[in-house]
Amino acid sequence: MNKNSIRKNLKREDIVSEIRLLRGEDYEKEKTFVIVEGDDDLKFFKNKFNSNAYVFESFSGCDGVEEIVNYFQSDKRIIGIRDKDYSSLTSGENKIFLYDYHSLEIMLAMNNESFESICTEFYCGDKEVFELRNKVFQKLKYISCFREKNLSEGWELITENISIDELYRKSKLNCKEDIIKEINRPSKNNYDSEKQSIVEEHYHFVTDLKLITRGHDFSELFKVICNTSGIEKNIKSKDVELVLRTSFTKESFKRTNLFKSLSEYEKSYGLNFLGSVHSLG
């Protein structure tokens, strides 16, 4: 990918104007314009596309991705990639493609080589690598179920106060009552017994935690586990996410559902933005 193909920190109108300009200069219609959520996504895709791709950082997360792609709805060369989060979206629908599982970070963490890399770099405990990964998902299960229902039920409870670091350090992640207290800490929140029963029912029936665990929660808990395993360290969740990204190879990318859906789209419309990745096989 050439150095001019990354666009970041632009406002909505700037993104629209630049795409129009670049599209007008593309007489052969060779270029593809990809809108992604944020800076971490830009870094991830820096070596995943060839020089036919222009990658733009959204002006407003996943909502901005959809807004820009919808603005150019009739142009098949303008696509978006975002986290699935707790949406019911299907990858490729309306030119919006989704990372595998819940988000970019979970897709990376589910790659065995990448997860082994963050364990080698940061973890000094005695748990087996994939046992540790399962532990992270399990300890976040109640919070993940709550986050999903908070969104799907439209409760709009404040969640920014939930400190996974503090809950883990105080051994409260294993206790639902302590998590409920943390959720209810903001005076505006009313996480009452009716809401709790909805989450509790979901908790007992949910099976695939990869689909409901927020990526930043995963890296935050992994970080604090590493910081409290043996000698106290000062690892940041951003450090964990960086190693996950940089250890995720082009070959790993080729094995994802995201790559499969992008490849099918590319072939359907005669595009060529995955060329360098295809050539690895």
Side-chain angles (χ1 to χ4, degrees), residues 153-180:
E153 299 289 333
W155 296 335
E156 297 184 350
L157 299 177
I158 298 168
T159 60
E160 289 81 2
N161 65 291
I162 298 174
S163 173
I164 289 167
D165 188 295
E166 186 173 335
L167 285 169
Y168 182 81
R169 287 178 184 272
K170 293 183 177 180
S171 302
K172 292 182 177 181
L173 270 182
N174 297 324
C175 179
K176 293 176 186 176
E177 288 73 19
D178 286 330
I179 297 173
I180 290 167

Side-chain angles (χ1 to χ4, degrees), residues 56-117:
F56 289 80
E57 179 185 9
S58 163
F59 65 94
S60 181
C62 62
D63 291 336
V65 171
E66 295 194 8
E67 188 171 332
I68 295 296
V69 173
N70 289 337
Y71 184 88
F72 294 101
Q73 188 58 49
S74 63
D75 194 330
K76 301 304 181 185
R77 294 181 296 150
I78 299 167
I79 64 174
I81 300 172
R82 53 158 285 184
D83 292 340
K84 189 176 192 302
D85 295 328
Y86 298 113
S87 73
S88 57
L89 296 174
T90 300
S91 192
E93 185 178 356
N94 296 322
K95 306 191 300 170
I96 302 291
F97 297 85
L98 308 174
Y99 292 113
D100 295 18
Y101 313 117
H102 182 275
S103 56
L104 170 61
E105 294 80 14
I106 300 301
M107 184 179 83
L108 302 180
M110 288 310 300
N111 176 261
N112 290 346
E113 293 88 350
S114 295
F115 190 75
E116 286 177 325
S117 292

